[in-house]
Amino acid sequence: MKRFLPLMVTFFIGIIVISSEFIPHKPFSSINAGLENWFLIISGFAILLGQISLIKVNSNKVYIKAENWQYYLIGLISFGVMVLCGILWGTQDANGILGSHVDLSKWLGSKPFVYLFDNVYQHLSSTMFALLAFFIASAAYRAFIMRSFESNLLMIAAVVVMLGRTTIGTSFTAWLPQGWRFLHLPDVANFVMNYPTNAAQRAIMISAALGIVGSSLRILLGIERSYLGGGD
Amino acid sequence: MSTPKTSKPIDRRYIFLILLIGVALPLIFPLGFKSEVSDISRQVYQLIENTPENSIMLMSFDYDPATNTELQPMAKAIIEHAFRRNHKIIAVALWPQGVQMADQAFEYILEKYPDKKYGIDYVNMGFKTGGMVTIQAMGRNIKDVLPKDTKNTPFEEIELLRNVRNYKQIAYVISLSAGDPGLKQYVMAAHDMYKVKVSGGTTAVSTPGFIPYINDQNQLYGLLGGLKGAAEYESMIKVKGTATSGMDAQSVAHILIILFIVMGNIRAFKDKNQKA
Amino acid sequence: MSQFMTTFGIWLGAFFTISIFSFLYKDNPFYKLAEQIFVGLSAGYWFIYTIYSILIPNLFGKILSDFNSNIMLLIPALLGMMMLIRLIPKLEWISRYPIALVIGTSAGISMLRYTQSDVLSQVAATMINPLGMNTIGEKIGSFILIIGTVCVIMYFYFSRKQEGILGATSKFGIWFLMISFGASFGYTVMARISLLIGRLQFLLGDWLHIIKP
Amino acid sequence: MNVNKIITNLISLLLVLPFSLNAVSAFVAKDHPSDDGRAIDLAWNVPDEFTSVTIEKLDSTETWFALTKTASTVSDYVDNDGIEPGLNSQYRLIAKNPANGDSLMLSTQITSRAQWFNYKKSPLLFLLLLLSGAVIYYILSARRGKELFIRRINGLESMDEAVGRATEKGKPILFVPGIGDLDDIQTIAGLTILSQLAYKAATYNADLIVPVSKSMVLSTAREIVKEAYLKAGRPDAFNPDCVFYLTDDQFGYVAGIDGIMVREQPAANFFLGTFYAESLILAETGFGTGAMQTAGTAQPHQLPFFVVTCDYTLIGEELFAASAYLSKEPNQLGSLKGQDFGKLFIVLLIIIGSIMEMSGIHWLKNILMFE
């Protein structure tokens, strides 16, 4: 029973969602938007579960003095500080329970929550993102090796597109006369992007969508049910 | 699908170090690579260059600090060009953090043009939610959509806006956009419905998606695409800004990456010979 | 005092920027510190964000301002609480209902959305007339587009051995995949380098004032 | 195919009929078809001599206001402002000819209705029914004992190897389900593979680390791993804290996982689910630690990075085929066969559609692009 009823819920909700797509009449017309809003609310409540897991795992590490426990303590403190700042003085657009506290904001230049966001969070986030510049270089060094016909295609396409989008690449072929324009690197790069690349991406999308339809159907029919866990 | 690894790769950290130096040096000592100006960037320049003096333009800041590198230099260059042509600028933002991006850009340009006055030559009307709906509503009445500026001065008391009612008084719209809402919505609402001239700039990643709008119906008057577009604009208005040095760094990085690929192949070739 | 806090903010930013970059050399105490602060701070940020930007406007605000017309919202609120009951191990099974609802909705919506935008629209976009294109390049390209799409779809055909015609088309499909992977990689390089330039402009400009920001 | 043609032809015919009113000079209001009763179609046809046409509507205060002003004498307009199902709306058309002072006024009224079926979406319904029908048909025939073949999927052969390595080295296995939430089927597909992986890990006594970034995924993943350990007969070995939450933030999550990778040195990494820009950061860091890496996602833009840095990559649909491949269960294999039927149908559709376009026949493409 503990598994059967939820499976019925999944099935019926799925059927309702699919049929309301085709029924413009009330009340079906607003069901799907409503359910998406429900999802936001349910996951909004659920976020607490994550926070509790984070606190539990980290404080456990601090408690048993696991390796690097000091850092996990700092993680816990950062979490607490951010939550407190948000609850007490609010965010950019919303006031916290202590109001907006103008003096404090004036001294910091912005609300504490926003100050932390701008000066710590944002820098951490964009630096983490910027690591990609390095990794893309090391991946290129290692991966684009002429080894087989397939890997040659991979490498040539990458180099052509890369060159075609830079100033230097453009100047390689700038001397070619107008009649040979189709050999200009930027044009070759565009050709590669517009046709073969587009074809492959399109096919990936189409077949993945079929996979999604198949998986969704298996879920609705209760064939794929591992997400519900065990029990009877 | 599988990709076999090659044997004993050299320490990646050399690659990281070379790339870091290769990108940092041109930022400090700009090389000034000549960048060939593309047609679509030139169209943006010509739109501003050919619009009569004292025209009013609407400039929309639809991005946040994450795409600062690519879009902020465009903002600075376009503001500078517009100031030179004595155009008046109404700044708005469809993204919340666009407001501060606008403030920073004006602050920077004012150092060069100290005689430009707030409220007369430019004004910042702040952030507006709603995207497409907001843009459409401005076609009927701008004052309803933007009742106050960021300093809480009412619309009626702002000198620049005295004769502005809707898009009819706006010579052109520039949107610098990192996604939705942004340039696309301006094309669909401001141009397609109210026939205002729309132009702007986007990140390199989303540039290809906008090219179809640059057509014989002029849905879009040219486009600045990524750092390259910004650098091209700087070269057209003869300013050496962060995009120009950024583009130098970009070019060096590209050469380096291609060199890395060549080196990788040489090493793989040697490995193979040793084994044979 | 505000001036001091602004400068302090820039130093904070620079410190964390360098700490993250130091990971490229190797794992070290600075990275560990930045990492844990990042995890903690961002978890806190999303928690607060969820309360102020999702739960208050979509649920509490609506219920408090107009209870009668938003009475339906009590259902997701109840389901949300049922999720939280997981914390009591014996009652874990109760959370299966909200999960079942969420997954049923997702499955239904995904079937619709993906069939519409990734199958129907893409198939329609591939039905083109290459002969009607303007230039030779576009004509050849359009043929490649149709053939390539078909071949790559056939690469994903699972229920038969890849030999004969299927073998040939899926081999072709792999070539298209390879070209597309290479090209997308090359295409992204520029955008990723911009990110690094942005960081260096912050360090060299806003922080060290070596270059004009 | 024939049935498809007939149905689509019929539908297109039905839709075109109401608009064939070009013959007489008129002003007609019609309920907008296939909608929720919030729009009205207006169409008019007045003699060429008139140079301006104004369409006006009577509002709730009994005053006429202009909806649109145009110079075209044969045109149409969709009014979707403030229309409610069951509400009566009155319109009038005023045409003027300033040259001779002629003017013409026509009026009309209509009550809009909400419809019970959206014809515009019939291609979608048809395709959904066809695909679902094929999947269900093959599932049933597989249940009746029909042998179904499935080709080798490289990425999935790695699982035994990964577990073997982890056991041998005494190092854990890292599983990353991506930054998608439970509303994304890719995440669910990833979690299905997790259940098989956890079963193997439990059987061979290898440790599993599963950091997640969404709370709902946390609950689900934990259930799945627990169930797998139970199935493997080792419920006592299950440690609920091996599945844990880091942060909802994209890059915060990556920073945390990078730390785990360099400190725990997992023997094998699995990245299966929805990935965005973080794909390459994860895969390159993992490569640096020497782990054996398997990735899978349906995000076309991230696949290149996984393909060049990981040992095995599940591309697009392969991710969704994984559970069938691993379980070899007839139900699952049947649905895969159904998807393959869908592929054949689509390939045929593309080829036929393109040939039709080349011969100047456009209705098939038009029907598909209806919306």
Side-chain angles (χ1 to χ4, degrees), chain A residues 16 56 91 135 141 147 199 225:
Chain A
I16 291 173
K56 195 178 144 204
T91 59
F135 287 143
Y141 167 76
R147 202 180 295 118
R225 56 172 84 172

Side-chain angles (χ1 to χ4, degrees), chain D residues 314-327:
Chain D
L314 297 172
I315 300 169
E317 197 187 355
E318 293 178 339
L319 174 68
F320 303 105
S323 64
Y325 186 84
L326 291 170
S327 69

Side-chain angles (χ1 to χ4, degrees), chain B residues 61-154:
Chain B
F61 291 77
D62 311 326
Y63 57 101
D64 58 17
T67 43
N68 206 346
T69 322
E70 292 177 88
L71 298 176
Q72 195 69 352
M74 291 181 196
K76 289 175 185 166
I78 287 175
I79 293 174
E80 178 156 5
H81 190 199
F83 276 175
R84 277 192 207 163
R85 297 278 309 133
N86 279 325
H87 295 168
K88 300 181 186 310
I89 304 173
I90 306 174
V92 293
L94 300 181
W95 287 37
Q97 285 174 296
V99 184
Q100 78 194 56
M101 305 316 300
D103 280 338
Q104 284 170 15
F106 282 116
E107 205 176 295
Y108 178 86
I109 298 299
L110 281 184
E111 282 179 20
K112 274 177 149 177
Y113 297 84
D115 51 327
K116 295 285 176 189
K117 290 276 174 299
Y118 184 86
I120 298 169
D121 297 297
Y122 70 99
V123 65
N124 189 350
M125 302 306 285
F127 162 68
K128 281 289 152 246
T129 48
M132 183 107 120
V133 181
T134 307
I135 301 169
Q136 269 182 36
M138 284 198 282
R140 291 191 287 272
N141 189 337
I142 292 186
K143 195 180 127 186
D144 287 351
V145 182
L146 311 167
K148 282 177 188 161
D149 71 355
T150 47
K151 298 173 178 166
N152 270 329
T153 319

Side-chain angles (χ1 to χ4, degrees), chain D residues 80-280:
Chain D
N80 52 12
D81 193 16
I83 309 274
E84 291 285 332
L87 198 77
N88 189 280
S89 310
Q90 295 188 41
Y91 299 92
R92 68 181 185 191
L93 172 149
I94 299 170
K96 286 200 169 115
N97 181 357
N100 58 13
D102 273 3
S103 72
L104 170 76
M105 194 174 90
L106 298 167
S107 58
T108 181
Q109 58 165 332
I110 183 128
T111 306
S112 69
R113 296 256 173 262
Q115 275 77 37
W116 283 100
F117 182 64
N118 186 347
Y119 284 98
K120 291 181 183 174
K121 293 201 168 141
S122 25
L124 174 63
L125 182 64
F126 173 76
L127 195 60
L128 266 183
L129 288 177
L130 183 86
L131 292 176
S132 313
V135 169
I136 293 172
Y137 171 80
Y138 282 106
I139 288 177
L140 291 178
S141 71
R143 277 192 188 172
R144 269 185 256 112
K146 193 170 177 226
E147 281 288 316
L148 292 174
F149 170 84
I150 179 165
R151 77 159 161 86
R152 205 179 124 91
I153 299 176
N154 275 331
L156 292 167
E157 300 292 322
S158 69
M159 198 178 271
D160 290 314
E161 193 187 336
V163 176
R165 265 203 204 191
T167 316
E168 191 182 307
K169 285 188 181 170
K171 295 277 182 192
I173 298 168
L174 176 74
F175 183 95
V176 182
I179 58 168
D181 207 338
L182 273 195
D183 58 346
D184 191 331
I185 302 293
Q186 288 179 69
T187 313
I188 301 176
L191 291 176
T192 314
I193 304 178
L194 171 66
S195 94
Q196 319 259 7
L197 181 67
Y199 177 76
K200 288 200 171 124
T203 316
Y204 294 99
N205 201 12
D207 282 334
L208 195 60
I209 309 176
V210 188
V212 303
S213 93
K214 297 288 178 294
S215 295
M216 301 265 262
V217 179
L218 172 77
S219 317
T220 316
R222 208 173 259 176
E223 281 290 311
I224 283 173
V225 175
K226 188 173 145 194
E227 165 74 1
Y229 271 79
L230 202 72
K231 240 205 287 183
R234 305 191 59 239
D236 48 307
F238 170 66
N239 167 18
D241 285 340
C242 77
V243 185
F244 55 94
Y245 168 90
L246 282 173
T247 163
D248 270 63
D249 186 76
Q250 181 184 12
F251 290 108
Y253 182 54
V254 178
I257 297 177
D258 271 8
I260 293 169
M261 283 199 266
V262 290
R263 269 157 245 155
E264 306 281 340
Q265 298 277 328
N269 299 336
F270 288 85
F271 309 113
L272 301 166
T274 309
F275 291 87
Y276 292 91
E278 68 278 11
S279 61
L280 186 64

Side-chain angles (χ1 to χ4, degrees), chain B residues 1 13 16 20 23-24 27-28 69-70 76 108 204-205 208 227-228 242 246-247 249-250 253-254 257, chain C residues 24-26 155 174 177-178 181 187 189-191 193-198 200-201 204 210-213:
Chain B
M1 180 134 322
R13 287 177 287 192
F16 297 158
L20 180 71
V23 173
L27 290 178
I28 305 172
T69 322
E70 292 177 88
K76 289 175 185 166
Y108 178 86
V205 178
L227 204 54
K228 190 159 185 253
T242 47
M247 205 52 212
Q250 183 93 259
H254 274 100
I257 290 180
Chain C
L24 291 169
Y25 178 65
K26 64 178 203 186
Y155 164 79
I174 293 179
L177 281 174
M178 282 306 171
F181 291 153
Y187 188 82
V189 168
M190 194 156 173
I193 300 292
S194 305
L195 299 167
L196 175 60
I197 294 173
L200 289 178
Q201 282 175 341
L204 297 170
I210 295 176
I211 58 174
K212 205 165 174 262

Side-chain angles (χ1 to χ4, degrees), chain A residues 11-21 23 28 31-32 35:
Chain A
F11 178 75
F12 278 111
I13 286 285
I15 296 297
I16 291 173
V17 165
I18 292 172
S19 31
S20 19
E21 176 80 4
I23 309 177
F28 295 93
I31 281 182
N32 287 0
L35 279 174

